[in-house]
Amino acid sequence: DTLEVGPGTGNNVNYYKRRASKITLLEINRKLTKSLKKKFYKNKKVRVLNSDIYSIKEKFDTIMYMDVLEHIKADKREIKKAISLLNSDGYLIIFVPAFQILYSNFDRDIGHVRRYRKFFFFNLAKKYKIKLIELKYFDSIGFIFAIINRLVGTNNQNNVGLGIKIWNNFIFLSKFFDFILKNMFGKSLLCILKKDDQ
């Protein structure tokens, strides 16, 4: 039983729909909600809601924030609520942009409030007494591109679009260096938490 908060266009559903018995997509944007309902109207196990997490009462086995938490000002409050909605042995999966030093005008333009470091999730797991299962940086090559972007200030839309196209050709290289460097740094950060009520 899975809840994805802020699914946007719903592309992530393709990666987990086979493993989920029931899927709830929680989207606050009305236009995106309408689009999601149209996209999944034939899929009986997918439910689309136009609301935020504070309106949810039921519990889930998995809750996901995929490139969403960085848009939320009260992020700690949001996570606390998400944890309360997890069943025992449930998972909270969070994927966010990493390293505040990489924060740019582009982040600001697309509504990012902040970027994250590992210690944020270490402290969070300790505070809310939830088990930390996985905590890894990803995309080391993207990190280098982001540093260059900060230094030369190529944040207009044309340059950002070009940068994304170039970066797409280096994904395989980034995966290789992530493995070699053991995910010591990267442009993004994955955190997986597990609720254990025992």
Side-chain angles (χ1 to χ4, degrees), residues 76-111:
K76 293 178 183 177
R77 180 171 173 254
E78 180 89 9
I79 292 172
K80 183 179 180 181
K81 175 62 178 177
I83 292 171
S84 75
L85 297 178
L86 284 174
N87 288 320
S88 181
D89 292 329
Y91 291 91
L92 178 58
I93 302 172
I94 301 171
F95 194 75
V96 290
F99 293 102
Q100 190 64 21
I101 192 174
L102 299 181
Y103 191 89
S104 67
N105 292 333
F106 178 69
D107 285 286
R108 191 176 297 109
D109 290 344
I110 61 176

Side-chain angles (χ1 to χ4, degrees), residues 92-95 121 132 134-136 189-193:
L92 178 58
I93 302 172
I94 301 171
F95 194 75
F121 294 103
L132 188 60
E134 192 81 83
L135 192 58
K136 285 184 177 181
L189 176 61
L190 172 68
C191 175
I192 301 177
L193 301 159

Side-chain angles (χ1 to χ4, degrees), residues 47-60:
R47 175 180 60 161
V48 180
L49 301 177
N50 178 219
S51 187
D52 61 31
I53 199 167
Y54 300 102
S55 67
I56 303 297
K57 305 299 180 184
E58 64 196 276
K59 293 199 172 187
F60 301 87

